[in-house]
Amino acid sequence: MRVSSRPPIICVCVVPKKQANPIDAQVGNRVRIRRMLIGMSQEKLGDLLGLTFQQVQKYEKGVNRVGAGRLYEISRILGVPIEFFYEGVAAAQAGEFAETKSAPVMEFVSSGEGLQLSLAFMKIKDPKVRKRMLDLVKSLAEEETE
């Protein structure tokens, strides 16, 4: 019997990172926006659904798909119709869904800082103060680009 002196060949397989389905990502993003608009934490939503906040995070990122029954419960808890979660999704020609490109505004509003800034700005009732705030933000943005 002959023994080989060569080391064994080891195959390293790289599994691609799981990508969120565009529709699942859209639904999750809308869950996040609505939850934040009403001031609810992921933990609270999870408690009301009988889930962990980590599971809510996965839904919001689109990593885990929200089932029909669960989406119904989420819509009831967040006080919106189910259609709310599909706003921004257009029907493609072959009857399949296609995600419309997220506008930068939606990306901004769905961020924590963007939502807080928007809510605070909406509380300012004086049009002159709102205009001055807008001018301030524009001037700060111009300084960043210089």
Side-chain angles (χ1 to χ4, degrees), residues 73-86:
E73 285 300 309
I74 291 171
S75 72
R76 184 185 59 75
I77 291 167
L78 298 180
V80 291
I82 290 174
E83 296 82 27
F84 170 83
F85 302 109
Y86 294 96

Side-chain angles (χ1 to χ4, degrees), residues 115-133:
L115 181 62
Q116 290 175 26
L117 185 61
S118 299
L119 292 172
F121 186 80
M122 290 185 326
K123 290 179 182 177
I124 301 170
K125 301 300 179 206
D126 186 338
K128 290 179 183 176
V129 173
R130 288 173 74 122
K131 172 77 170 92
R132 288 198 313 256
M133 286 300 302

Side-chain angles (χ1 to χ4, degrees), residues 11 27 38 49 54 67 73 79 81 83 90 105 107 118-119 127 132-134 146:
C11 178
V27 169
I38 64 173
L49 292 168
Q54 291 96 335
E73 285 300 309
E83 296 82 27
V105 173
E107 290 178 27
S118 299
L119 292 172
R132 288 198 313 256
M133 286 300 302
L134 183 58
E146 292 176 357

Side-chain angles (χ1 to χ4, degrees), residues 23 89-98:
I23 304 301
V89 177
Q93 286 185 345
E96 297 178 18
F97 286 105

Side-chain angles (χ1 to χ4, degrees), residues 32-40 84 109 115 119 122:
R32 182 173 190 271
I33 289 170
R34 179 60 184 171
R35 177 185 60 73
M36 291 175 72
L37 278 172
I38 64 173
M40 183 181 288
F84 170 83
V109 172
L115 181 62
L119 292 172
M122 290 185 326

